[in-house]
Amino acid sequence: MSNPTAYADYTTGEPLADTKAPEGPVEDRWDTRRFTAKLVNPANRRRHTVIVVGTGLAGGSAGATLAEQGYHVVQFCYQDSPRRAHSIAAQGGINAAKNYRNDGDSIHRLFYDTVKGGDFRSRESNVHRLAQISVEIIDQCVAQGVPFAREYGGLLDTRSFGGVQVSRTFYARGQTGQQLLLGAYQALSRQIAAGNVEMHARTEMLDLIVVDGRARGIVARDLVSGEITTHFADAVVLASGGYGNVFYLSTNAMNSNATAIWRAHRRGAHFANPCFTQIHPTCIPRTGDHQSKLTLMSESLRNDGRIWVPRAAGDTRPAAEIPEDERDYYLERIYPSFGNLVPRDIASRAAKNVCDEGRGVGPGGQGVYLDFADAIARLGRKAVEERYGNLFEMYERITAENPYEVPMRIYPAVHYTMGGLWVDYDLQTTIPGLFAIGEANFSDHGANRLGASALMQGLADGYFVLPATVNDYLARNPGHDTPGPEHPAVAAAVAETRERLHRLVGVDGDRSADSFHREIGELMWEYCGMSRNAEGLRKALDRIPQIREEFWRRIKVPGTEGEFNQSLERANRIVDYLELAELMCLDALHRAESCGGHFREESQTPDGEAARRDEEFGYAAAWEFTGTGRAPVLHREDLVFAYVHPTQRSYA
Amino acid sequence: MKLTLRIWRQHDPDAPGGMAAYDVEGISPDMSFLEMLDTLNERLTVEGQDPVAFDHDCREGICGACSLVINGEAHGPERTTSCQLHMRSFRDGDTIDVEPWRAAAFPVVRDLVVDRGAFDRIIQSGGYVSVPTGAAPEAHATPVPKAAADSAFEHAECIGCGACVAACPNGSAMLFTSAKVNHLGALPQGAPERETRVLDMVAQMDAEGFGGCTLTGECATACPKGIPLTSITAMNREWLRASRKVPRG
């Protein structure tokens, strides 16, 4: 590593093709795939074991459905209960092309909006399937007893979300994720009680076991006893969520982490578009260095809240004292047809721009107003309370300011990662037998996810797609002997895991895991955050290996590996962030275009919008791991747009 | 702010536990209670002492992981979760006691961490609608009166944190159990399993070693999501109705 930029290099390998997506009209492909899929005889299913890692919307729904089909499911979560995965914190809603409003919605429109919203960096086949399945998800959840908001006539209510002009978002006040997750959790609980799912809570996956080129199990740590255990299966499903916590401050749960997908990457699963991260425009601004996480305020607030900053830079008057004509409702001004409901990437960048101009509000000028005064005047306080009551209460609890009286202050924060493990149409990674679903994969959102689409994708993958495709995999790969602990691949994975944990405890340095996490997070926010440029990314790529080296010299983990040890859990996750961060920066550096949430300062239109370069970058970038600090191999998957023709996105 | 913390330390379920005192300084009123504990743990870590173990995850009051008894009250002085409690609720110089949930059915795992697996088993015993994936009718096939949907939602808000049990002098899980019984019971989708659900869930609750309910109302006062005490009386009615309809030996 003498040359400071040598590790920014990469080599280019064979292009990837999604071999599983059938030919033919896009609306027929899922039917075709399901028909060509082989089936496992119901009587034989119980002989197959499937491991599912994670119990969020994707994992919970997948585990429950696979068990209902008759498979033996072994499922894991690091939380104390499968009811707590971070899907639970999703507030706003879930999209579905039901067209209950008769406002011109259709499956094709949801497909179109999602491809366009993703800035033409997603796969048409997958997105169309997602739109098709969206309608079944609502049916399933209603039947489970999910208490969606309803009209007085007893029918389901919907609302609008960013990036679309129809009202297709179903919701349960500001707690849609909670209600959907509890639905999946209850379905899973039914299968646990029936003995079809063997549930391991407080157990974290630390490595993947690959035998003869196939995923055959995992190495896990019992977080209570510290015991390292191995679990074997005929297929492994990762539903472990995204990697936004690499930024330290994000809206993710504190313990959400990248270890399951990163360890799978190290074992041969390609990692696609790691630089595609979503910075959500409406989060509560940070208050100080003690900040441990950031809290989202649902995008649904942009239905009725108006975003503004003072017209003049350096205006420190309280909001109420700034007259109407000295306010800049900048989203309504720049994007008159979508106004406050532009997609997330655009709203976030606009907020950054006005703050960079010195027009930000609140401490440090890192905030913009989200003002409900007009909505309260128009609808009355009661109606606003009905729609957003719990969000307003949450805001007040955190900030000690009453948003019914003074405008909310919001600022963008890391929220979601569109990148993830590369998967084909079957949601299978490049390791046969290893599947990735939900936020853990890269498949459906391209370079920017639309609001209320994460819940849709998690449940589409878990309830409907994966159970069909795993079936096919198991039917085509029957009868493998279970590898024993003495198998060299198993023994090696266990030994490496033990050695890593032992080394973490043994360094006995002088810095906590948190201090390293903050350091890498700040670096990523600075250089690989809302806007990126080659110079900054090079700086980050120089710095990350240094932090990694320092980590292994100075990390302090009290206690031992053979006991309940939260410091060790954290430190071990940071080991993986320190590698993932590097790949994210490299991916961001190599993609010398702007698209969706990835904004390269060198590639913008004259009016400052993201400028895509389709000719050069109209592909998904799937990276192959070759070793820590070593040049990875880039495999391109060319994206073909036969239905939604790529254009410069316009929300003006 | 400068504070004295007295925290329950217990290495494992079988080890004896006790309160240990720690001073913390430089606490900002804008910090959450857990961020204040982070500050203490950062110092303990660098000093080579074992940090205080506590459950937490989303830190926005919805996952239900955090579970601290603060100055004798489940989740502390405000009606919210421990993670959403902010230090502005305390005064400079305060001494604050921090303990785990105390209940026979929630054994201590370490320090402030307890095992709430009993809650999962109560849900497993019947807290669901039996509808396999793919078997659902069209969502609008059954309109649900808004009042019923709202009532279901009000009970479905339960985050399963266990504050109700911790606050109850009897260590009863009636509020938790009744929240699920009433959520599903309010909806037409939950009707077919109405009787077996309440009977099975109450039986499981008793089997887990939770105490009986004497309607002291502490549970509803401590509940960060405001599940009402009437939830319990409604479940009692449901149980009585079901036990007359489905006699069990």
Side-chain angles (χ1 to χ4, degrees), chain A residues 65 68 78 81 98 139 145 154 156 185-186 202 254-255 292-293 397-398 512 563, chain B residues 11 35 42 54-60 88 110 120 133 138-140 144 180 183:
Chain A
T65 305
E68 285 162 7
Y78 69 72
S81 161
K98 283 284 199 185
D139 298 342
L156 295 164
Y185 160 74
Q186 287 162 203
R202 288 201 201 273
M254 296 295 288
N255 299 299
S292 61
K293 76 152 282 162
R397 197 170 289 291
I398 293 171
S512 69
E563 61 179 326
Chain B
H11 186 270
E35 284 168 347
E42 174 70 24
F54 59 93
D55 264 327
H56 66 105
D57 207 14
C58 78
R59 294 206 178 185
E60 43 189 273
R88 62 179 83 93
R110 179 160 184 159
D120 287 324
T133 304
E138 214 297 318
H140 269 178
V144 179
K180 189 50 64 188
H183 158 207

mmCIF file of all heavy atoms in Angstrom, chain A residues 65 68 78 81 98 139 145 154 156 185-186 202 254-255 292-293 397-398 512 563, chain B residues 11 35 42 54-60 88 110 120 133 138-140 144 180 183:
data_model
loop_
_atom_site.group_PDB
_atom_site.id
_atom_site.type_symbol
_atom_site.label_atom_id
_atom_site.label_comp_id
_atom_site.label_asym_id
_atom_site.label_seq_id
_atom_site.Cartn_x
_atom_site.Cartn_y
_atom_site.Cartn_z
ATOM 1 N N THR A 65 -43.756 -18.296 5.607
ATOM 2 C CA THR A 65 -44.308 -18.879 4.386
ATOM 3 C C THR A 65 -43.621 -20.197 4.029
ATOM 4 O O THR A 65 -44.279 -21.169 3.651
ATOM 5 C CB THR A 65 -44.198 -17.868 3.231
ATOM 6 O OG1 THR A 65 -44.837 -16.653 3.650
ATOM 7 C CG2 THR A 65 -44.866 -18.377 1.980
ATOM 8 N N GLU A 68 -45.021 -22.736 6.264
ATOM 9 C CA GLU A 68 -46.383 -23.115 5.855
ATOM 10 C C GLU A 68 -46.347 -24.100 4.687
ATOM 11 O O GLU A 68 -47.186 -24.996 4.576
ATOM 12 C CB GLU A 68 -47.174 -21.868 5.422
ATOM 13 C CG GLU A 68 -47.635 -20.988 6.573
ATOM 14 C CD GLU A 68 -48.024 -19.584 6.136
ATOM 15 O OE1 GLU A 68 -48.069 -19.301 4.913
ATOM 16 O OE2 GLU A 68 -48.265 -18.744 7.022
ATOM 17 N N TYR A 78 -30.719 -11.303 16.041
ATOM 18 C CA TYR A 78 -29.840 -10.893 17.147
ATOM 19 C C TYR A 78 -30.644 -10.300 18.302
ATOM 20 O O TYR A 78 -30.183 -10.250 19.424
ATOM 21 C CB TYR A 78 -28.755 -9.914 16.665
ATOM 22 C CG TYR A 78 -29.256 -8.545 16.261
ATOM 23 C CD1 TYR A 78 -29.701 -7.634 17.210
ATOM 24 C CD2 TYR A 78 -29.280 -8.149 14.927
ATOM 25 C CE1 TYR A 78 -30.170 -6.382 16.842
ATOM 26 C CE2 TYR A 78 -29.740 -6.900 14.551
ATOM 27 C CZ TYR A 78 -30.186 -6.017 15.519
ATOM 28 O OH TYR A 78 -30.661 -4.779 15.163
ATOM 29 N N SER A 81 -36.185 -10.946 20.595
ATOM 30 C CA SER A 81 -37.437 -11.502 20.089
ATOM 31 C C SER A 81 -37.544 -11.197 18.597
ATOM 32 O O SER A 81 -37.116 -10.138 18.146
ATOM 33 C CB SER A 81 -38.620 -10.860 20.822
ATOM 34 O OG SER A 81 -39.812 -11.041 20.073
ATOM 35 N N LYS A 98 -53.483 -0.819 -6.092
ATOM 36 C CA LYS A 98 -54.872 -1.270 -5.999
ATOM 37 C C LYS A 98 -55.804 -0.378 -6.824
ATOM 38 O O LYS A 98 -56.894 -0.802 -7.205
ATOM 39 C CB LYS A 98 -55.322 -1.252 -4.537
ATOM 40 C CG LYS A 98 -54.796 -2.413 -3.697
ATOM 41 C CD LYS A 98 -55.560 -3.694 -4.013
ATOM 42 C CE LYS A 98 -55.393 -4.735 -2.914
ATOM 43 N NZ LYS A 98 -56.038 -6.014 -3.306
ATOM 44 N N ASP A 139 -53.840 -7.644 0.510
ATOM 45 C CA ASP A 139 -54.836 -8.683 0.832
ATOM 46 C C ASP A 139 -54.347 -9.546 1.995
ATOM 47 O O ASP A 139 -55.074 -9.806 2.955
ATOM 48 C CB ASP A 139 -55.091 -9.597 -0.387
ATOM 49 C CG ASP A 139 -55.657 -8.832 -1.577
ATOM 50 O OD1 ASP A 139 -56.168 -7.711 -1.383
ATOM 51 O OD2 ASP A 139 -55.581 -9.364 -2.708
ATOM 52 N N GLY A 145 -55.080 -9.390 9.978
ATOM 53 C CA GLY A 145 -55.541 -8.500 11.040
ATOM 54 C C GLY A 145 -54.707 -7.244 11.194
ATOM 55 O O GLY A 145 -54.766 -6.586 12.232
ATOM 56 N N GLY A 154 -65.695 1.942 5.962
ATOM 57 C CA GLY A 154 -65.090 0.665 6.284
ATOM 58 C C GLY A 154 -64.031 0.203 5.290
ATOM 59 O O GLY A 154 -63.448 -0.867 5.440
ATOM 60 N N LEU A 156 -60.420 0.762 2.950
ATOM 61 C CA LEU A 156 -59.060 1.180 3.296
ATOM 62 C C LEU A 156 -58.760 2.591 2.793
ATOM 63 O O LEU A 156 -59.128 2.961 1.675
ATOM 64 C CB LEU A 156 -58.048 0.199 2.698
ATOM 65 C CG LEU A 156 -58.138 -1.213 3.271
ATOM 66 C CD1 LEU A 156 -57.398 -2.199 2.378
ATOM 67 C CD2 LEU A 156 -57.563 -1.250 4.683
ATOM 68 N N TYR A 185 -44.692 -11.395 12.164
ATOM 69 C CA TYR A 185 -44.228 -12.038 13.413
ATOM 70 C C TYR A 185 -45.272 -13.022 13.929
ATOM 71 O O TYR A 185 -44.947 -14.115 14.391
ATOM 72 C CB TYR A 185 -43.936 -10.947 14.443
ATOM 73 C CG TYR A 185 -43.906 -11.390 15.888
ATOM 74 C CD1 TYR A 185 -42.838 -12.121 16.398
ATOM 75 C CD2 TYR A 185 -44.944 -11.047 16.762
ATOM 76 C CE1 TYR A 185 -42.813 -12.513 17.735
ATOM 77 C CE2 TYR A 185 -44.929 -11.432 18.090
ATOM 78 C CZ TYR A 185 -43.869 -12.166 18.577
ATOM 79 O OH TYR A 185 -43.843 -12.552 19.898
ATOM 80 N N GLN A 186 -46.542 -12.624 13.828
ATOM 81 C CA GLN A 186 -47.595 -13.513 14.312
ATOM 82 C C GLN A 186 -47.708 -14.754 13.417
ATOM 83 O O GLN A 186 -47.900 -15.871 13.919
ATOM 84 C CB GLN A 186 -48.921 -12.748 14.404
ATOM 85 C CG GLN A 186 -48.909 -11.775 15.587
ATOM 86 C CD GLN A 186 -49.957 -10.694 15.534
ATOM 87 O OE1 GLN A 186 -49.786 -9.657 16.167
ATOM 88 N NE2 GLN A 186 -51.037 -10.890 14.778
ATOM 89 N N ARG A 202 -31.521 -13.804 19.951
ATOM 90 C CA ARG A 202 -30.224 -13.428 20.537
ATOM 91 C C ARG A 202 -29.100 -14.308 19.992
ATOM 92 O O ARG A 202 -28.252 -14.810 20.730
ATOM 93 C CB ARG A 202 -30.240 -13.539 22.066
ATOM 94 C CG ARG A 202 -31.061 -12.457 22.776
ATOM 95 C CD ARG A 202 -30.599 -12.332 24.230
ATOM 96 N NE ARG A 202 -31.556 -11.715 25.108
ATOM 97 C CZ ARG A 202 -31.667 -10.393 25.313
ATOM 98 N NH1 ARG A 202 -30.894 -9.555 24.663
ATOM 99 N NH2 ARG A 202 -32.547 -9.920 26.151
ATOM 100 N N MET A 254 -29.756 0.703 16.427
ATOM 101 C CA MET A 254 -28.358 0.747 16.852
ATOM 102 C C MET A 254 -27.590 -0.516 16.477
ATOM 103 O O MET A 254 -26.400 -0.466 16.202
ATOM 104 C CB MET A 254 -28.286 0.921 18.372
ATOM 105 C CG MET A 254 -28.844 2.224 18.866
ATOM 106 S SD MET A 254 -27.899 3.634 18.297
ATOM 107 C CE MET A 254 -26.418 3.472 19.289
ATOM 108 N N ASN A 255 -28.280 -1.648 16.504
ATOM 109 C CA ASN A 255 -27.565 -2.906 16.286
ATOM 110 C C ASN A 255 -27.709 -3.471 14.878
ATOM 111 O O ASN A 255 -27.134 -4.512 14.571
ATOM 112 C CB ASN A 255 -28.032 -3.936 17.320
ATOM 113 C CG ASN A 255 -27.731 -3.473 18.726
ATOM 114 O OD1 ASN A 255 -26.582 -3.264 19.088
ATOM 115 N ND2 ASN A 255 -28.771 -3.234 19.505
ATOM 116 N N SER A 292 -26.497 9.406 19.354
ATOM 117 C CA SER A 292 -26.213 8.006 19.050
ATOM 118 C C SER A 292 -26.951 7.535 17.815
ATOM 119 O O SER A 292 -26.581 6.554 17.193
ATOM 120 C CB SER A 292 -26.593 7.120 20.233
ATOM 121 O OG SER A 292 -27.977 7.231 20.509
ATOM 122 N N LYS A 293 -28.043 8.212 17.493
ATOM 123 C CA LYS A 293 -28.770 7.842 16.271
ATOM 124 C C LYS A 293 -29.645 9.017 15.857
ATOM 125 O O LYS A 293 -29.817 9.963 16.619
ATOM 126 C CB LYS A 293 -29.609 6.587 16.483
ATOM 127 C CG LYS A 293 -30.861 6.808 17.269
ATOM 128 C CD LYS A 293 -31.910 5.786 16.862
ATOM 129 C CE LYS A 293 -32.568 6.133 15.555
ATOM 130 N NZ LYS A 293 -33.252 5.034 14.925
ATOM 131 N N ARG A 397 -41.035 15.177 21.973
ATOM 132 C CA ARG A 397 -40.293 14.501 23.032
ATOM 133 C C ARG A 397 -38.785 14.633 22.824
ATOM 134 O O ARG A 397 -38.024 14.821 23.760
ATOM 135 C CB ARG A 397 -40.680 13.019 23.060
ATOM 136 C CG ARG A 397 -40.307 12.343 24.323
ATOM 137 C CD ARG A 397 -40.896 10.972 24.435
ATOM 138 N NE ARG A 397 -42.331 10.927 24.664
ATOM 139 C CZ ARG A 397 -42.937 11.301 25.785
ATOM 140 N NH1 ARG A 397 -42.236 11.790 26.781
ATOM 141 N NH2 ARG A 397 -44.239 11.196 25.913
ATOM 142 N N ILE A 398 -38.362 14.571 21.588
ATOM 143 C CA ILE A 398 -36.935 14.620 21.299
ATOM 144 C C ILE A 398 -36.400 16.056 21.345
ATOM 145 O O ILE A 398 -35.312 16.304 21.840
ATOM 146 C CB ILE A 398 -36.652 13.944 19.937
ATOM 147 C CG1 ILE A 398 -36.940 12.440 20.058
ATOM 148 C CG2 ILE A 398 -35.221 14.186 19.471
ATOM 149 C CD1 ILE A 398 -36.923 11.683 18.757
ATOM 150 N N SER A 512 -12.515 2.549 22.436
ATOM 151 C CA SER A 512 -13.725 1.724 22.391
ATOM 152 C C SER A 512 -14.156 1.478 20.953
ATOM 153 O O SER A 512 -13.767 2.208 20.028
ATOM 154 C CB SER A 512 -14.856 2.435 23.126
ATOM 155 O OG SER A 512 -15.244 3.575 22.388
ATOM 156 N N GLU A 563 -18.953 -15.045 26.951
ATOM 157 C CA GLU A 563 -20.008 -14.546 27.836
ATOM 158 C C GLU A 563 -20.837 -13.501 27.091
ATOM 159 O O GLU A 563 -20.496 -13.128 25.970
ATOM 160 C CB GLU A 563 -19.384 -13.898 29.086
ATOM 161 C CG GLU A 563 -18.495 -12.696 28.746
ATOM 162 C CD GLU A 563 -17.888 -12.016 29.973
ATOM 163 O OE1 GLU A 563 -18.559 -11.985 31.012
ATOM 164 O OE2 GLU A 563 -16.768 -11.498 29.863
ATOM 165 N N HIS B 11 -23.723 -10.438 36.944
ATOM 166 C CA HIS B 11 -22.952 -11.021 35.848
ATOM 167 C C HIS B 11 -23.748 -12.014 35.015
ATOM 168 O O HIS B 11 -23.654 -12.049 33.800
ATOM 169 C CB HIS B 11 -21.674 -11.686 36.366
ATOM 170 C CG HIS B 11 -20.781 -12.166 35.251
ATOM 171 N ND1 HIS B 11 -20.887 -13.430 34.712
ATOM 172 C CD2 HIS B 11 -19.817 -11.532 34.549
ATOM 173 C CE1 HIS B 11 -20.003 -13.559 33.719
ATOM 174 N NE2 HIS B 11 -19.347 -12.418 33.606
ATOM 175 N N GLU B 35 -28.331 7.526 25.881
ATOM 176 C CA GLU B 35 -27.083 8.202 25.493
ATOM 177 C C GLU B 35 -26.281 8.579 26.736
ATOM 178 O O GLU B 35 -25.041 8.572 26.716
ATOM 179 C CB GLU B 35 -27.393 9.438 24.637
ATOM 180 C CG GLU B 35 -27.787 9.047 23.215
ATOM 181 C CD GLU B 35 -28.379 10.174 22.371
ATOM 182 O OE1 GLU B 35 -28.741 11.236 22.926
ATOM 183 O OE2 GLU B 35 -28.487 9.987 21.149
ATOM 184 N N GLU B 42 -18.747 4.273 27.774
ATOM 185 C CA GLU B 42 -17.528 4.665 27.074
ATOM 186 C C GLU B 42 -16.386 4.797 28.091
ATOM 187 O O GLU B 42 -15.286 4.298 27.881
ATOM 188 C CB GLU B 42 -17.772 5.987 26.319
ATOM 189 C CG GLU B 42 -16.549 6.611 25.659
ATOM 190 C CD GLU B 42 -16.032 5.828 24.450
ATOM 191 O OE1 GLU B 42 -16.820 5.084 23.837
ATOM 192 O OE2 GLU B 42 -14.826 5.966 24.132
ATOM 193 N N PHE B 54 -27.354 -3.399 28.705
ATOM 194 C CA PHE B 54 -28.788 -3.095 28.673
ATOM 195 C C PHE B 54 -29.308 -3.339 27.258
ATOM 196 O O PHE B 54 -28.566 -3.223 26.288
ATOM 197 C CB PHE B 54 -29.072 -1.647 29.117
ATOM 198 C CG PHE B 54 -28.417 -0.559 28.300
ATOM 199 C CD1 PHE B 54 -29.102 0.020 27.233
ATOM 200 C CD2 PHE B 54 -27.139 -0.088 28.594
ATOM 201 C CE1 PHE B 54 -28.514 1.040 26.481
ATOM 202 C CE2 PHE B 54 -26.548 0.922 27.847
ATOM 203 C CZ PHE B 54 -27.226 1.489 26.782
ATOM 204 N N ASP B 55 -30.578 -3.676 27.167
ATOM 205 C CA ASP B 55 -31.197 -3.928 25.869
ATOM 206 C C ASP B 55 -31.647 -2.606 25.255
ATOM 207 O O ASP B 55 -32.221 -1.750 25.931
ATOM 208 C CB ASP B 55 -32.435 -4.836 26.026
ATOM 209 C CG ASP B 55 -32.118 -6.298 25.775
ATOM 210 O OD1 ASP B 55 -31.240 -6.570 24.929
ATOM 211 O OD2 ASP B 55 -32.739 -7.153 26.422
ATOM 212 N N HIS B 56 -31.403 -2.460 23.966
ATOM 213 C CA HIS B 56 -31.840 -1.258 23.252
ATOM 214 C C HIS B 56 -31.660 -1.565 21.780
ATOM 215 O O HIS B 56 -30.833 -2.396 21.420
ATOM 216 C CB HIS B 56 -30.972 -0.061 23.627
ATOM 217 C CG HIS B 56 -29.546 -0.215 23.158
ATOM 218 N ND1 HIS B 56 -29.048 0.465 22.075
ATOM 219 C CD2 HIS B 56 -28.551 -1.012 23.579
ATOM 220 C CE1 HIS B 56 -27.786 0.095 21.880
ATOM 221 N NE2 HIS B 56 -27.458 -0.803 22.773
ATOM 222 N N ASP B 57 -32.404 -0.918 20.917
ATOM 223 C CA ASP B 57 -32.133 -1.106 19.502
ATOM 224 C C ASP B 57 -32.573 0.111 18.677
ATOM 225 O O ASP B 57 -31.749 0.894 18.259
ATOM 226 C CB ASP B 57 -32.756 -2.401 18.966
ATOM 227 C CG ASP B 57 -32.001 -2.949 17.759
ATOM 228 O OD1 ASP B 57 -30.873 -2.483 17.505
ATOM 229 O OD2 ASP B 57 -32.512 -3.833 17.064
ATOM 230 N N CYS B 58 -33.889 0.287 18.484
ATOM 231 C CA CYS B 58 -34.305 1.340 17.550
ATOM 232 C C CYS B 58 -34.048 2.728 18.103
ATOM 233 O O CYS B 58 -33.812 3.664 17.361
ATOM 234 C CB CYS B 58 -35.778 1.181 17.184
ATOM 235 S SG CYS B 58 -36.927 1.765 18.453
ATOM 236 N N ARG B 59 -34.126 2.872 19.406
ATOM 237 C CA ARG B 59 -33.969 4.169 20.072
ATOM 238 C C ARG B 59 -34.942 5.215 19.542
ATOM 239 O O ARG B 59 -34.632 6.398 19.506
ATOM 240 C CB ARG B 59 -32.523 4.671 19.983
ATOM 241 C CG ARG B 59 -31.557 3.798 20.766
ATOM 242 C CD ARG B 59 -30.326 4.530 21.237
ATOM 243 N NE ARG B 59 -29.472 3.634 22.020
ATOM 244 C CZ ARG B 59 -28.376 4.023 22.646
ATOM 245 N NH1 ARG B 59 -27.994 5.286 22.579
ATOM 246 N NH2 ARG B 59 -27.658 3.169 23.335
ATOM 247 N N GLU B 60 -36.076 4.762 19.063
ATOM 248 C CA GLU B 60 -37.123 5.719 18.754
ATOM 249 C C GLU B 60 -38.474 5.283 19.311
ATOM 250 O O GLU B 60 -39.511 5.729 18.852
ATOM 251 C CB GLU B 60 -37.176 6.076 17.263
ATOM 252 C CG GLU B 60 -37.037 4.931 16.295
ATOM 253 C CD GLU B 60 -36.889 5.428 14.845
ATOM 254 O OE1 GLU B 60 -37.922 5.625 14.210
ATOM 255 O OE2 GLU B 60 -35.752 5.608 14.364
ATOM 256 N N ARG B 88 -33.456 16.033 30.202
ATOM 257 C CA ARG B 88 -34.094 17.251 30.681
ATOM 258 C C ARG B 88 -35.174 16.944 31.720
ATOM 259 O O ARG B 88 -35.673 17.850 32.385
ATOM 260 C CB ARG B 88 -34.658 18.068 29.507
ATOM 261 C CG ARG B 88 -35.721 17.423 28.685
ATOM 262 C CD ARG B 88 -36.197 18.350 27.566
ATOM 263 N NE ARG B 88 -35.325 18.291 26.389
ATOM 264 C CZ ARG B 88 -35.530 17.482 25.328
ATOM 265 N NH1 ARG B 88 -36.584 16.702 25.287
ATOM 266 N NH2 ARG B 88 -34.703 17.482 24.310
ATOM 267 N N ARG B 110 -28.271 -10.461 32.263
ATOM 268 C CA ARG B 110 -27.069 -9.788 32.752
ATOM 269 C C ARG B 110 -27.423 -8.332 33.039
ATOM 270 O O ARG B 110 -28.090 -7.690 32.221
ATOM 271 C CB ARG B 110 -25.958 -9.854 31.708
ATOM 272 C CG ARG B 110 -24.698 -9.139 32.179
ATOM 273 C CD ARG B 110 -23.478 -9.578 31.414
ATOM 274 N NE ARG B 110 -22.299 -8.933 31.967
ATOM 275 C CZ ARG B 110 -21.066 -9.376 31.803
ATOM 276 N NH1 ARG B 110 -20.854 -10.459 31.093
ATOM 277 N NH2 ARG B 110 -20.044 -8.735 32.326
ATOM 278 N N ASP B 120 -43.138 -14.003 23.859
ATOM 279 C CA ASP B 120 -43.203 -14.664 22.552
ATOM 280 C C ASP B 120 -44.062 -15.926 22.635
ATOM 281 O O ASP B 120 -44.840 -16.219 21.732
ATOM 282 C CB ASP B 120 -41.797 -15.035 22.061
ATOM 283 C CG ASP B 120 -41.007 -13.807 21.608
ATOM 284 O OD1 ASP B 120 -41.622 -12.894 21.036
ATOM 285 O OD2 ASP B 120 -39.777 -13.780 21.832
ATOM 286 N N THR B 133 -49.963 -17.728 3.714
ATOM 287 C CA THR B 133 -49.698 -16.826 2.599
ATOM 288 C C THR B 133 -50.374 -17.328 1.330
ATOM 289 O O THR B 133 -50.252 -18.505 0.979
ATOM 290 C CB THR B 133 -48.187 -16.730 2.357
ATOM 291 O OG1 THR B 133 -47.577 -16.319 3.570
ATOM 292 C CG2 THR B 133 -47.882 -15.718 1.255
ATOM 293 N N GLU B 138 -59.665 -10.774 -1.313
ATOM 294 C CA GLU B 138 -59.447 -9.371 -1.697
ATOM 295 C C GLU B 138 -59.649 -8.485 -0.461
ATOM 296 O O GLU B 138 -60.585 -8.673 0.310
ATOM 297 C CB GLU B 138 -60.465 -9.012 -2.790
ATOM 298 C CG GLU B 138 -60.004 -8.039 -3.844
ATOM 299 C CD GLU B 138 -59.643 -6.650 -3.360
ATOM 300 O OE1 GLU B 138 -60.337 -6.070 -2.507
ATOM 301 O OE2 GLU B 138 -58.626 -6.123 -3.861
ATOM 302 N N ALA B 139 -58.769 -7.514 -0.323
ATOM 303 C CA ALA B 139 -58.749 -6.703 0.902
ATOM 304 C C ALA B 139 -60.080 -6.000 1.162
ATOM 305 O O ALA B 139 -60.476 -5.818 2.305
ATOM 306 C CB ALA B 139 -57.615 -5.689 0.829
ATOM 307 N N HIS B 140 -60.780 -5.597 0.089
ATOM 308 C CA HIS B 140 -62.035 -4.876 0.286
ATOM 309 C C HIS B 140 -63.254 -5.796 0.363
ATOM 310 O O HIS B 140 -64.382 -5.332 0.422
ATOM 311 C CB HIS B 140 -62.221 -3.829 -0.828
ATOM 312 C CG HIS B 140 -61.637 -2.505 -0.448
ATOM 313 N ND1 HIS B 140 -61.634 -1.424 -1.286
ATOM 314 C CD2 HIS B 140 -61.040 -2.090 0.696
ATOM 315 C CE1 HIS B 140 -61.060 -0.396 -0.683
ATOM 316 N NE2 HIS B 140 -60.685 -0.782 0.512
ATOM 317 N N VAL B 144 -64.440 -3.005 7.174
ATOM 318 C CA VAL B 144 -64.349 -3.018 8.635
ATOM 319 C C VAL B 144 -64.752 -1.635 9.117
ATOM 320 O O VAL B 144 -64.148 -0.638 8.718
ATOM 321 C CB VAL B 144 -62.903 -3.329 9.094
ATOM 322 C CG1 VAL B 144 -62.824 -3.311 10.611
ATOM 323 C CG2 VAL B 144 -62.441 -4.664 8.544
ATOM 324 N N LYS B 180 -53.332 -8.002 22.711
ATOM 325 C CA LYS B 180 -53.396 -8.820 21.483
ATOM 326 C C LYS B 180 -54.786 -9.441 21.314
ATOM 327 O O LYS B 180 -55.338 -9.481 20.208
ATOM 328 C CB LYS B 180 -52.303 -9.901 21.524
ATOM 329 C CG LYS B 180 -52.116 -10.684 20.242
ATOM 330 C CD LYS B 180 -51.973 -9.783 19.001
ATOM 331 C CE LYS B 180 -50.734 -8.913 19.017
ATOM 332 N NZ LYS B 180 -50.720 -7.923 17.908
ATOM 333 N N HIS B 183 -56.950 -6.627 20.068
ATOM 334 C CA HIS B 183 -56.596 -6.213 18.705
ATOM 335 C C HIS B 183 -57.276 -7.151 17.706
ATOM 336 O O HIS B 183 -58.031 -6.715 16.840
ATOM 337 C CB HIS B 183 -55.059 -6.240 18.541
ATOM 338 C CG HIS B 183 -54.579 -6.352 17.120
ATOM 339 N ND1 HIS B 183 -53.379 -6.915 16.788
ATOM 340 C CD2 HIS B 183 -55.135 -5.992 15.944
ATOM 341 C CE1 HIS B 183 -53.226 -6.895 15.477
ATOM 342 N NE2 HIS B 183 -54.274 -6.349 14.924
#
